[in-house]
Amino acid sequence: MGLDGLLSVLGRVTVAIPGGYGLMALWTAYLARVLSQSRLEATVTASLLSFALGIGWVVYVFAARSARRGAVVLAAGATLPALGLLAMGGR
Amino acid sequence: MPIWSSRRPAKGLRQSQALLHTWSGLLTGWVLYAIFLNGAVSYWREEITRWARPEIGATENVERVLNGALAYLAENAAGADSWTITLPGPRQTGAVVDWSLPKDKASPRHDGASDTDVLIGPEGRPVAVRATEGGDVFYRLHFDLRYVPVLWGRWIVGACTMFMAVAIVSGVITHKKIFADIFTFRPGKGQRSWLDGHNALAVLALPFHAMITYTGLVTLMTLYVPWGVMANYESRSAFFSELAARPKPAAASGEPAPLYPVALAVKAAETSWSGARAGSVRITHPGDAASQIFVVRHVGEALVDGGGVVAFDGASGRRLSASPAMTPAVATRGALIGLHAGRFAPLTLRWLFFLSGVAGTAMVATGLVLWTAKRREKLADPARPHFGFFVVERLNIGFVAGLPLAMAGFLWANRLLPLETVGRAGWEVHLMFLLWGAALLHAFWRPAQRGWSELFGLTGLLLLALPVYNMAATKRGLIDSAAVGDLPLIGMDLGLMAAGIVFVGLAFSVHRRRSSSRPGRTVRSRSSAAAAGAAVE
């Protein structure tokens, strides 16, 4: 595995793990605010689902065509909840 | 084309998942082994605690114990802010009483909280039992680890659990003939056999593995994914009080009033739960007119964790409130937690969970061994492997064979440590870890195959000797327990014997493989392994 390969692996790991945790954070906070149930229900629902998101994300990143592709999808996936939270004045 | 070049070829999905599976498994495999083994054993947590206290037998009469507990508390904790009594049941004996004193009444030693818990025995009187953590040792080890701050332990376990979940998904994706392979096991073919074994253990109990992993994450949900709570609540305690929906106990009125017979309150609560058993009772401001009795349903009486609290007025016995019905997401979370803990499970289902947990433990172990089996063929000189291989192989021995040895050692420490030892409960555990350390040293020092069979063999002998010691040195040996029909203790001693036989069997099978392998076989197995390796890739 040359330098090229090593950088690719490190790229995927970065997008998958800290990137994935960031996605989980954004979507959990966003869904907790946006879901139409009571705040308790929405909080619990969003938290329960977040693990599925994180696990699926890691699997996807290592299946993606390249680390760069994964990073692009990460940015795309983070946009909606990030903008939504900003608009709602969330933390 | 090398898989890690910057672009993945289109046919490489199974390959990419195979590599993800291998690495996520290898990096966390040893910790996961410890989690699975201790988690599986924790299905018998209460039975192990009973076994660890041979001084007392089973409780025949719950009410006698409850009244004895109340009498003890009335005598020793009369001015307390609250009393707590955990009730005995089929799997736990005696009652543990605890109390909290108001700050002004607290003696300098107590500092507002109670002393160590007091155990009220089956006769209704306090009993002195050996200081031990019992089954709680293995239970806490599987999510808090030990000797590190609890939060660190939970984060390490949580991270490894996420890796486990990824390993499950990637393992399923990468597995080409998943249904056919359930029934495939080809022994004696080197790495092909290890792969078959790993696959069989994984696939046969796949629903359990997926469930236990996901629900494990859910049990510590607010730690791992706090942002939902952060987005909607001012503080975590605000979230938890809304979640628990427990009524706030009233403050003391200052007027004395005799305490309503608690046993009647417990009966009334159990009737309202259609006969489900109470697990504990909490009495606030006993002896005061504003005292309240909270009867909590035993956690094993319902699948869904949480709820099950009935409140009574402490002076009149009038029923005040009961836990409200749970909303859907809250109930889902409770059910997932209940599934993980398995406390609701009656005996047969508990055995199914336990055996699935053992399968999961063996799945992790065979996965770790498979890593070395695959690479052993490619070693230039098998007698002097490269550093990475050496470390993995020896850690495999130290964990897979060394940890069960340490756990058996804990049970022996429980029996042999002198009762007056200062910090006895802690020392039972220190000895367990010291033995584990010795096993790791042994694993790195001895030739690999000898290391396996010696550690497995010693574990088996230690386990087999325990029921024998019980019969010779305690009143709770197998014969005595059978005579009184004490099922938990009978099960424990028989289980230890069965486990001992399994480990002795493992030691023999490793020993036989070592003495039967000759230089001539290596050539043949290398080529068959190469062919098998190509088929897997």
Side-chain angles (χ1 to χ4, degrees):
Chain A
M1 188 168 76
L3 180 64
D4 198 43
L6 180 62
L7 287 178
S8 172
V9 172
L10 287 177
R12 288 183 196 261
V13 169
T14 312
V15 171
I17 299 178
Y21 204 49
L23 266 187
M24 284 167 75
L26 287 170
W27 277 97
T28 309
Y30 178 67
L31 284 177
R33 284 286 177 92
V34 144
L35 287 174
S36 61
Q37 309 132 303
S38 73
R39 71 170 178 167
L40 177 64
E41 283 286 281
T43 304
V44 174
T45 306
S47 307
L48 287 174
L49 291 174
S50 66
F51 296 113
L53 173 64
I55 295 161
W57 178 250
V58 174
V59 170
Y60 161 70
V61 169
F62 284 87
R65 270 192 204 284
S66 64
R68 204 173 329 163
R69 168 74 67 94
V72 168
V73 176
L74 174 63
T79 311
L80 174 62
L83 291 178
L85 284 168
L86 279 170
M88 289 186 283
R91 310 185 289 102
Chain B
M1 178 187 286
I3 187 62
W4 296 117
S5 62
S6 33
R7 287 187 65 81
R8 174 182 72 78
K11 276 191 291 223
L13 173 63
R14 279 219 163 82
Q15 278 177 290
S16 72
Q17 296 303 300
L19 278 154
L20 175 61
H21 180 86
T22 303
W23 282 103
S24 52
L26 185 64
L27 290 175
T28 55
W30 297 293
V31 178
L32 286 174
Y33 179 80
I35 296 171
F36 259 93
L37 182 57
N38 282 277
V41 161
S42 296
Y43 281 118
W44 310 111
R45 173 188 176 196
E46 284 87 348
E47 284 80 3
I48 296 171
T49 299
R50 278 222 50 212
W51 187 94
R53 294 181 174 151
E55 291 85 0
I56 49 175
T59 295
E60 308 293 321
N61 187 336
V62 175
E63 207 169 305
R64 188 196 309 166
V65 174
L66 172 59
N67 290 329
L70 289 163
Y72 177 86
L73 285 165
E75 206 179 294
N76 295 278
D81 269 345
S82 72
W83 293 347
T84 309
I85 306 168
T86 58
L87 297 169
R91 300 179 65 209
Q92 48 271 94
T93 187
V96 178
V97 299
D98 196 356
W99 63 93
S100 75
L101 295 170
K103 291 285 192 294
D104 56 299
K105 289 237 182 81
S107 71
R109 203 179 45 158
H110 292 284
D111 190 29
S114 77
D115 201 57
T116 51
D117 302 333
V118 174
L119 182 62
I120 308 293
E123 305 303 314
R125 282 184 303 275
V127 287
V129 292
R130 62 193 61 197
T132 178
E133 294 182 35
D136 283 7
V137 169
F138 306 131
Y139 170 66
R140 295 233 155 247
L141 187 55
H142 99 284
F143 62 96
D144 280 348
L145 303 182
R146 193 116 189 165
Y147 303 121
V148 291
V150 159
L151 230 51
W152 290 23
R154 293 180 180 193
W155 274 110
I156 293 168
V157 170
C160 291
T161 310
M162 279 296 279
F163 274 72
M164 173 80 209
V166 167
I168 290 176
V169 175
S170 57
V172 169
I173 294 175
T174 207
H175 194 149
K176 258 188 279 212
K177 292 178 288 166
I178 196 164
F179 290 111
D181 276 0
I182 294 177
F183 305 103
T184 305
F185 181 66
R186 289 159 284 194
K189 289 208 167 113
Q191 66 154 10
R192 183 75 237 184
S193 306
W194 285 110
L195 181 61
D196 287 346
H198 181 68
N199 289 343
L201 290 162
V203 173
L204 277 173
L206 188 57
F208 172 85
H209 302 320
M211 179 276 288
I212 210 76
T213 307
Y214 201 91
T215 55
L217 291 166
V218 169
T219 56
L220 291 173
M221 184 175 89
T222 46
L223 173 65
Y224 300 139
V225 289
W227 313 285
V229 174
M230 278 163 57
N232 283 344
Y233 293 85
E234 329 72 73
S235 70
R236 287 168 60 127
S237 42
F239 168 74
F240 281 117
S241 33
E242 195 174 315
L243 184 68
R246 276 212 191 167
K248 268 178 131 44
S253 69
E255 273 178 50
L259 184 62
Y260 181 77
V262 177
L264 293 179
V266 169
K267 271 207 194 54
E270 291 178 340
T271 309
S272 77
W273 295 322
S274 312
R277 192 162 60 84
S280 66
V281 184
R282 185 159 176 259
I283 302 148
T284 55
H285 310 297
D288 187 278
S291 93
Q292 288 172 322
I293 302 171
F294 297 92
V295 185
V296 183
R297 188 180 55 210
H298 188 266
V299 281
E301 295 290 305
L303 168 64
V304 176
D305 183 82
V309 183
V310 183
F312 298 86
D313 183 83
S316 65
R318 185 172 57 91
R319 187 179 133 121
L320 295 174
S321 68
S323 301
M326 287 184 179
T327 47
V330 173
T332 306
R333 171 184 169 274
L336 290 172
I337 294 175
L339 266 177
H340 187 91
R343 296 191 181 114
F344 72 98
L347 195 62
T348 317
L349 184 56
R350 183 176 298 274
W351 266 102
L352 196 63
F353 279 143
F354 171 67
L355 291 173
S356 301
V358 170
T361 311
M363 164 184 70
V364 174
T366 50
L368 287 167
V369 172
L370 179 60
W371 193 94
T372 57
K374 264 193 181 176
R375 283 151 191 81
R376 191 186 308 278
E377 318 299 333
K378 302 179 202 151
L379 288 176
D381 177 7
R384 305 188 55 215
H386 62 84
F387 184 66
F389 182 96
F390 174 76
V391 168
V392 172
E393 178 166 51
R394 300 317 177 100
L395 281 177
N396 286 355
I397 303 172
F399 272 74
V400 173
L403 180 53
L405 176 64
M407 290 163 75
F410 166 79
L411 296 175
W412 273 106
N414 169 269
R415 284 300 187 252
L416 297 179
L417 262 185
L419 298 184
E420 335 74 49
T421 313
V422 176
R424 188 184 185 283
W427 269 106
E428 284 181 351
V429 186
H430 301 327
L431 285 173
M432 169 170 134
F433 278 86
L434 284 169
L435 185 55
W436 194 4
L440 276 159
L441 287 172
H442 181 279
F444 273 86
W445 167 57
R446 295 288 283 159
Q449 296 243 303
R450 270 191 232 265
W452 281 112
S453 52
E454 284 163 5
L455 289 178
F456 276 145
L458 187 55
T459 307
L461 291 175
L462 286 183
L463 289 169
L464 283 170
L466 275 169
V468 176
Y469 178 85
N470 276 346
M471 270 190 276
T474 72
K475 289 199 298 271
R476 312 279 163 215
L478 196 49
I479 316 278
D480 297 309
S481 300
V484 296
D486 194 338
L487 226 54
L489 291 185
I490 298 170
M492 273 298 298
D493 274 351
L494 288 178
L496 289 171
M497 283 202 287
I501 292 170
V502 166
F503 279 99
V504 168
L506 283 171
F508 266 118
S509 73
V510 173
H511 181 80
R512 253 206 315 275
R513 187 172 316 134
R514 180 173 72 87
S515 39
S516 74
S517 68
R518 277 177 284 276
R521 276 177 72 90
T522 318
V523 176
R524 208 170 352 119
S525 53
R526 193 183 288 133
S527 58
S528 73
V536 166
E537 308 291 306

